[in-house]
Amino acid sequence: VKTNNGFKVVGPSSQKVAFAQPDEKVVYFDLEVGDINGIGKVTVTATSGKEKASYDVEIDVMNPNPVTVNYKELVLEPGKSATIGWEAFGVSGTNKAVLEVSSFPSIDFNRRLDYLIQYPHGCLEQVTSGAFPQLYLADIADIDQSRKNKIQKNVTAAIQKLSQYQVANGGFSYWPGNMTPDDWGSSYVGHFFIEAERKGYALPMNAKKQWLAYQSKTAKQWRYNEGYHNDFAQAYRLYTLALAGSPDISSMNRLRETGGISNESKLRLAAAYALAGQKNVGLKLLNQSSIEPDDSRYQYYYYGSSERNRAMALETLLLLGQKEKAFAMANKLAKQMSSDQWMSTQTTAYCLYAISKFAQGNGPKGIDIQYTVKGKSATITTAKTFADRVLSADGKTVSIRNNKKSTLYVKVVYSGVLPIGQEQVEQRGLGTDIVFKDRKGQVINPSVLSQGTEFIAEVTISNLKNESVDNVALMQIIPSGWEIVNTRFTDFGDFADNKVDYTDIRDDRTNFYFPLKANESKTFRILLNASYPGEYYLPGVQCEAMYDNSFLARTQGQWIKVVR
């Protein structure tokens, strides 16, 4: 047996097997996994007399811990020089460092965009959010052709994936396979499709036509329901129809004359009127509104936040030609985006989208710097607003000189994956408990299990607050030596009838998505099999509310063994 740097053979790397007649036998080699992330390769060679055969096996070597990101930043005045230092951390092969330079206050574009791209869950909103801001990166940033090609690949893949969420009536469901369209999500996907088509991307056949028919029919059938705060969703729907060149003026007028609609609805409706060529009506609505979001009721129902609603307000200000107000709003958003403040996928994507729209036609442009890493110097000269360059992760320092006559905003974003056992344990708003049982329901210790043992993991998630929470995501990653028994395709289909909105079963993990009422607990059961002898790491439970960072739980993992 031979390996690359992904594995190391522990003990003898060759063994002899004798056969008195045609037969098959099993021999075992102990392999130790290297401290890397990547593809491990094992070559098995069998020799008998003059005959020889070999087989290559490629195995993913993955650290289950999430990427940890940090940054250092400074403001560089005209003609000045400065140095930024950082300490690389994490497992070898996961370390990255990127130099970001902007002529506009930093919006942390790469860190925020990477968060969207690496987000592990795949609902309608998150797939859309991962691709949406990438449409505009080349417009505002100095990026090379390879990154442009990667963006094109990402956006095309997202468009194709989203087509799987479209249901018979033309709307889009929150999870694939669901038959009910998601109100806000259907408008959000359509918004993305329109912008992508304008950038030259091909949409699935009839997808846009069916979506337009659904939006138009739903807009006409809409009735105000104060209990569901559905005026904001209607305003966004009407905005997307206007953006698509099919404004529904009568429905827009009906919403405008409806009493009690929210501030956010008025601002979104103002944008719809501007797109429909009635800017004067849009300005009247703007004057009746506050550009500062003031009603949290309208955030949670539609995956939003105050920052997301500010980003939508920024877009409205741009459409109505309110440059001074737009500049002030863009600066406020940039400050929030460059901070450590948590943002959901929806908030992150819409902020990046709105700031990109702003940067295309407003604000200072142009970058001219010289930077030095490990004794090697390079320059960045561009007319774009933003530029970045990948640095050597172990460079530790970078010196930058600003050759422009305007202020530049400089940041080094560095990241890595923490070693096994060093994951960050957190708990707020959610309680977790995991118990392992045999098929008879008796509690067992998973530390050492015999090969072939079939057992059950019971994970209980508790809402510790006196308020309900939607869109909770539970991710349980399993050790490489265990296998998930997908009970949907076995005789045990009913035993794990977990009450969830959606279940995503993969080779190495099971994801559950569900709501929790105030102080409610839910238990989820996963059927497992101890399949491969060896010592492996069982990651802790990871659970979060995808749109509310006050609900989060991560627990410590443990080492387990599967024995023959």
Side-chain angles (χ1 to χ4, degrees):
V1 171
K2 292 183 179 179
T3 65
N4 69 352
N5 64 341
F7 301 100
K8 182 175 74 174
V9 180
V10 179
S13 60
S14 64
Q15 296 186 42
K16 288 186 177 181
V17 185
F19 292 92
Q21 61 186 40
D23 198 356
E24 61 179 49
K25 294 184 180 181
V26 178
V27 293
Y28 290 91
F29 293 88
D30 290 336
L31 302 180
E32 185 177 302
V33 180
D35 193 18
I36 66 162
N37 258 30
I39 303 294
K41 186 176 180 181
V42 180
T43 301
V44 181
T45 304
T47 305
S48 179
K50 295 181 180 180
E51 301 297 327
K52 186 176 182 180
S54 67
Y55 185 72
D56 293 334
V57 182
E58 291 188 342
I59 305 172
D60 283 314
V61 179
M62 296 172 58
N63 184 321
N65 287 338
V67 176
T68 300
V69 182
N70 211 334
Y71 64 89
K72 298 281 184 70
E73 62 182 338
L74 54 83
V75 177
L76 202 54
E77 300 297 334
K80 299 292 184 181
S81 299
T83 299
I84 297 178
W86 74 95
E87 288 292 334
F89 63 91
V91 175
S92 175
T94 69
N95 321 105
K96 293 180 181 177
V98 177
L99 172 67
E100 296 181 357
V101 187
S102 175
S103 57
F104 183 78
S106 171
I107 59 172
D108 228 349
F109 208 109
N110 277 309
R111 182 168 68 96
R112 296 292 185 182
L113 189 60
D114 285 347
Y115 165 73
L116 293 176
I117 294 171
Q118 295 168 1
Y119 198 73
H121 308 295
C123 74
L124 181 75
E125 182 276 321
Q126 289 146 8
V127 173
T128 308
S129 291
F132 209 159
Q134 296 187 62
L135 291 174
Y136 309 98
L137 187 55
D139 295 335
I140 66 166
D142 177 54
I143 57 176
D144 59 25
Q145 189 59 45
S146 66
R147 190 159 185 194
K148 289 178 182 177
N149 294 341
K150 189 175 181 181
I151 288 170
Q152 184 174 4
K153 183 179 178 182
N154 290 345
V155 173
T156 301
I159 290 170
Q160 293 304 316
K161 186 171 183 178
L162 287 168
S163 66
Q164 301 169 17
Y165 294 70
Q166 193 164 27
V167 297
N169 64 4
F172 290 82
S173 63
Y174 189 74
W175 292 110
N178 289 3
M179 293 295 104
T180 306
D182 184 76
D183 202 3
W184 185 270
S186 293
S187 294
Y188 190 45
V189 174
H191 186 181
F192 166 62
F193 273 10
I194 294 165
E195 297 283 1
E197 189 177 47
R198 289 177 178 175
K199 287 288 185 182
Y201 289 92
L203 301 180
M205 188 177 295
N206 293 325
K208 182 182 172 185
K209 181 181 178 181
Q210 292 172 346
W211 170 79
L212 275 170
Y214 166 79
Q215 291 287 87
S216 181
K217 182 179 179 181
T218 308
K220 288 178 171 60
Q221 293 176 341
W222 176 85
R223 296 295 181 270
Y224 182 44
N225 186 321
E226 187 177 2
Y228 286 102
H229 314 302
N230 66 345
D231 50 309
F232 195 15
Q234 173 73 344
Y236 191 27
R237 185 181 297 112
L238 294 170
Y239 162 88
T240 60
L241 285 169
L243 186 68
S246 304
D248 184 344
I249 301 297
S250 61
S251 293
M252 289 161 64
N253 291 339
R254 182 157 57 92
L255 178 61
R256 180 163 60 100
E257 293 163 6
T258 300
I261 67 172
S262 72
N263 184 68
E264 285 71 33
S265 298
K266 291 176 183 176
L267 289 171
R268 192 78 320 213
L269 190 56
Y273 275 110
L275 289 169
Q278 297 190 20
K279 189 178 284 189
N280 58 328
V281 181
L283 287 169
K284 285 181 182 178
L285 277 168
L286 178 64
N287 292 332
Q288 297 169 12
S289 314
S290 166
I291 58 174
E292 277 299 319
D294 60 356
D295 195 340
S296 62
R297 294 179 307 162
Y298 295 90
Q299 298 167 13
Y300 197 76
Y301 284 96
Y302 302 116
Y303 319 117
S305 63
S306 296
E307 290 73 30
R308 195 281 307 273
N309 293 346
R310 284 192 185 99
M312 297 187 95
L314 172 59
E315 187 186 9
T316 299
L317 293 171
L318 292 171
L319 288 168
L320 293 172
Q322 303 293 299
K323 286 195 173 184
E324 286 188 17
K325 291 180 179 178
F327 192 83
M329 181 65 79
N331 271 289
K332 181 175 287 188
L333 276 178
K335 186 176 181 181
Q336 290 172 308
M337 293 182 71
S338 64
S339 72
D340 288 328
Q341 178 181 341
W342 177 86
M343 289 183 175
S344 71
T345 49
Q346 169 82 175
T347 297
T348 302
Y350 220 101
C351 285
L352 290 173
Y353 161 73
I355 288 284
S356 297
K357 286 275 189 180
F358 171 82
Q360 285 180 57
N362 304 275
K365 286 188 174 66
I367 294 166
D368 184 1
I369 68 159
Q370 179 178 347
Y371 67 97
T372 304
V373 181
K374 298 175 78 170
K376 294 183 179 180
S377 296
T379 59
I380 302 176
T381 305
T382 177
K384 299 286 180 71
T385 305
F386 174 85
D388 63 14
R389 295 293 185 268
V390 176
L391 303 177
S392 171
D394 60 351
K396 295 189 177 181
T397 62
V398 57
S399 299
I400 313 106
R401 176 175 174 78
N402 182 3
N403 297 323
K404 276 193 74 70
K405 295 180 180 179
S406 57
T407 301
L408 294 176
Y409 302 84
V410 183
K411 178 175 287 190
V412 172
V413 180
Y414 54 105
S415 61
V417 177
L418 295 174
I420 291 294
Q422 293 185 23
E423 56 264 46
Q424 297 172 336
V425 176
E426 294 183 74
Q427 180 180 324
R428 51 180 182 270
L430 294 174
T432 64
D433 183 54
I434 184 166
V435 176
F436 296 91
K437 297 180 178 180
D438 61 22
R439 290 301 301 270
K440 295 179 181 179
Q442 300 297 312
V443 175
I444 61 172
N445 185 346
S447 299
V448 180
L449 294 173
S450 298
Q451 184 180 14
T453 301
E454 207 164 73
F455 61 106
I456 299 159
E458 287 191 355
V459 185
T460 300
I461 305 298
S462 303
N463 182 355
L464 305 180
K465 293 188 177 185
N466 194 30
E467 60 182 84
S468 62
V469 57
D470 291 326
N471 300 305
V472 179
L474 165 63
M475 179 165 64
Q476 181 58 60
I477 303 174
I478 66 160
S480 305
W482 296 355
E483 282 198 338
I484 298 170
V485 180
N486 192 337
T487 55
R488 290 181 293 190
F489 305 108
T490 70
D491 295 335
F492 310 119
D494 293 335
F495 113 92
D497 187 17
N498 299 302
K499 304 298 182 185
V500 295
D501 294 334
Y502 188 69
T503 303
D504 181 10
I505 299 176
R506 306 185 188 183
D507 287 343
D508 66 338
R509 69 196 65 193
T510 300
N511 297 334
F512 298 107
Y513 304 92
F514 53 94
L516 282 173
K517 297 175 184 175
N519 302 306
E520 182 186 16
S521 294
K522 286 187 176 180
T523 298
F524 306 94
R525 307 174 79 205
I526 309 166
L527 184 59
L528 302 167
N529 185 282
S531 303
Y532 307 107
E535 185 176 13
Y536 307 93
Y537 191 73
L538 167 62
V541 177
Q542 298 183 41
C543 191
E544 64 175 335
M546 295 188 289
Y547 302 100
D548 187 343
N549 198 40
S550 65
F551 292 90
L552 174 70
R554 291 196 189 104
T555 64
Q556 189 78 37
Q558 68 178 88
W559 288 96
I560 61 96
K561 288 183 179 180
V562 177
V563 296
R564 295 195 291 273

